[in-house]
Amino acid sequence: MPRRNWAGNVRYAARAFHRPTSIDELRRLVAGSPRIRAVGTGHSFNRFGDTTGDLVTLAGLPPAIDVDAERGRVTVTGALRYGDVAHRLHTQGYALANLASLPHISVAGAVATATHGSGQTHGNLATSVAALELVTADGDLLRVDRDTDGDTFAGMVVGLGALGLVTRVTLDLVPAFEVRQYVRLDLPREALDEALGSAYSVSVFADWRTPRLREVWRKQRVEQPPPPADWLGTTAADQPRHPVLGMPAENATPQLGVPGPWHERLPHFKLGFTPSSGDELQSEYHLPRAAAAEALAALDDVAHLIAPVLQVCELRTVAADELWLSPNHRRDSFVVHFTWIDDPASVLPVVAAVEERLAPFAPRPHWGKVFVTDPAELAARYPRYADFAALLTRLDPTGTFRTDQLDHHFPR
């Protein structure tokens, strides 16, 4: 098991590392440990998942991808990566409604942090969850279902790994579909709103060095006509691109309007290659969808701080949901994502400056990325924050799944 996260900025403090190969072994391990956490593919950039106790990977459990055609759902082992699940589903004629920008992340880890793709009508990945199976603090196996557990279920899906070790996840399915990906260059900022709503999934990339927006990645279903030559005052890319300048385009998913399966177009990066740049830190903030223009204008005041430590900034949209700790809880969201250079000393002051400028819009940071928001301020931005804290105490009264960062944000 790796001793650091994917980016290398977190060295795990665990006293022991485990790789159980059965549910019974996992249950015994949890029941006998005073402190334990699961680690997925390690794509979190903070210490919510770090512990001084036992760290366990569930990748050794028998993999399963079980389709229920009658109900239009699939149940998968939580440690499986989305890319592996998606490929299997496609061969059977099924799809997931959306995917994140990289298919390398585990299903359970992505769901627990409300990781997402893009699209004004698409919720984050956790909104596709219909049921969870998890090992609780006493070693019991608990199953919760959207159809029967209602409000409690909505509190458990985005659980930050704090309610138990998720072994299986049931996801909603849609019929398989094909997508064309077009990259457009040099978008005028006043056209951002129209661009974000122009296709099935849209990402806009900026560098904060010029007022215009560098690229628009439009992922559209094949039945939608291609954008016209003069679309929103942009020009068409004449060769494949990578979101991070200087990185090889072959790492990115196919572009130039070539049709292909949903799972080979909705992510930005191919499963078999290193996603993003690999040498980086990340921050991300979810704001009210209607505040997009004002939020960008507010960030203009610190553009001179952002640009020197930035690799790329990505702008997206995510639909509202009812999940308690989802950054998209009860509001359609405009999402500002930063991929920074790997230099915490230089990046953290800029993160603080960004958060100060965005504060009037009540930003909700991505749970798996770098942020410095005061816990009291963060709590005020989630209507069900106190309810989650109570649920945490009820399901884990002895703090088996607690970590220092979790205690910081949800004190006992």
Side-chain angles (χ1 to χ4, degrees), residues 301-374:
D301 292 341
V302 290
H304 64 290
L305 301 177
I306 294 172
V309 294
L310 184 72
Q311 295 194 47
V312 70
C313 174
E314 182 175 3
L315 311 175
R316 289 180 279 185
T317 53
V318 182
D321 60 62
E322 289 294 325
L323 305 177
W324 293 3
L325 286 192
S326 165
N328 320 112
H329 180 77
R330 295 184 178 175
R331 71 184 194 191
D332 293 328
S333 300
F334 172 65
V335 183
V336 184
H337 171 98
F338 300 94
T339 297
W340 309 109
I341 63 173
D342 185 13
D343 182 354
S346 298
V347 167
L348 286 177
V350 181
V351 169
V354 165
E355 293 189 5
E356 181 181 8
R357 297 304 302 162
L358 293 180
F361 311 103
R364 297 170 179 166
H366 188 298
W367 291 108
K369 303 189 188 299
V370 175
F371 62 93
V372 297
T373 312
D374 180 80

Side-chain angles (χ1 to χ4, degrees), residues 26-314:
L26 176 63
R27 293 177 64 185
R28 290 192 297 269
L29 181 62
V30 173
S33 176
R35 294 288 183 275
I36 191 168
R37 290 286 295 197
V39 60
T41 48
H43 280 83
S44 175
F45 291 81
N46 59 47
R47 292 190 174 274
F48 267 108
D50 191 24
T51 179
T52 56
D54 296 298
L55 201 64
V56 57
T57 175
L58 307 188
L61 298 180
I65 303 176
D66 301 324
V67 172
D68 182 344
E70 184 175 345
R71 303 188 73 187
R73 294 176 177 177
V74 62
T75 298
V76 305
T77 310
L80 288 176
R81 300 181 301 173
Y82 269 96
D84 297 322
V85 172
H87 175 76
R88 178 81 69 84
L89 289 176
H90 186 74
T91 63
Q92 299 183 52
Y94 297 102
L96 301 171
N98 212 352
L99 291 171
S101 59
L102 61 162
H104 307 66
I105 53 179
S106 69
V107 174
V111 165
T113 54
T115 295
H116 57 92
S118 183
Q120 293 192 152
T121 62
H122 306 306
N124 62 56
L125 301 183
T127 62
S128 291
V129 175
L132 292 174
E133 178 187 273
L134 61 163
V135 176
T136 58
D138 53 9
D140 286 345
L141 200 60
L142 173 66
R143 177 181 169 84
V144 291
D145 190 287
R146 183 174 59 203
D147 296 334
T148 57
D149 294 294
D151 199 41
T152 298
F153 177 79
M156 294 183 67
V157 179
V158 183
L160 310 182
L163 305 176
L165 305 189
V166 175
T167 54
R168 291 166 73 87
V169 182
T170 300
L171 303 167
D172 295 326
L173 296 176
V174 298
F177 56 97
E178 289 206 331
V179 172
R180 298 179 188 269
Q181 183 167 219
Y182 295 92
V183 176
R184 306 289 302 196
L185 308 179
D186 202 23
L187 178 75
R189 189 183 286 192
E190 58 269 21
L192 174 63
D193 189 71
E194 184 175 351
L196 287 170
S198 68
Y200 189 88
S201 175
V202 178
S203 291
V204 177
F205 295 100
D207 58 19
W208 292 100
R209 290 176 173 84
T210 67
R212 293 171 75 92
L213 303 169
R214 196 187 77 209
E215 295 175 8
V216 184
W217 288 40
R218 301 178 71 255
K219 302 164 189 283
Q220 62 178 63
R221 295 182 65 129
V222 291
E223 56 266 28
Q224 182 181 0
D230 60 348
W231 182 77
L232 298 183
T234 64
T235 57
D238 59 2
Q239 59 185 352
R241 316 275 290 198
H242 189 288
V244 180
L245 293 178
M247 296 297 294
E250 66 173 345
N251 294 17
T253 49
Q255 301 152 38
L256 303 178
V258 178
W262 57 282
H263 64 97
E264 295 180 359
R265 298 296 185 276
L266 292 181
H268 298 330
F269 309 107
K270 296 176 183 175
L271 183 60
F273 294 82
T274 299
S276 195
S277 73
D279 187 17
E280 65 199 64
L281 300 172
Q282 293 182 13
S283 298
E284 181 178 278
Y285 302 94
H286 295 237
L287 314 164
R289 175 69 180 86
E294 291 179 85
L296 293 184
L299 290 175
D300 283 337
D301 292 341
V302 290
H304 64 290
L305 301 177
I306 294 172
V309 294
L310 184 72
Q311 295 194 47
V312 70
C313 174
E314 182 175 3

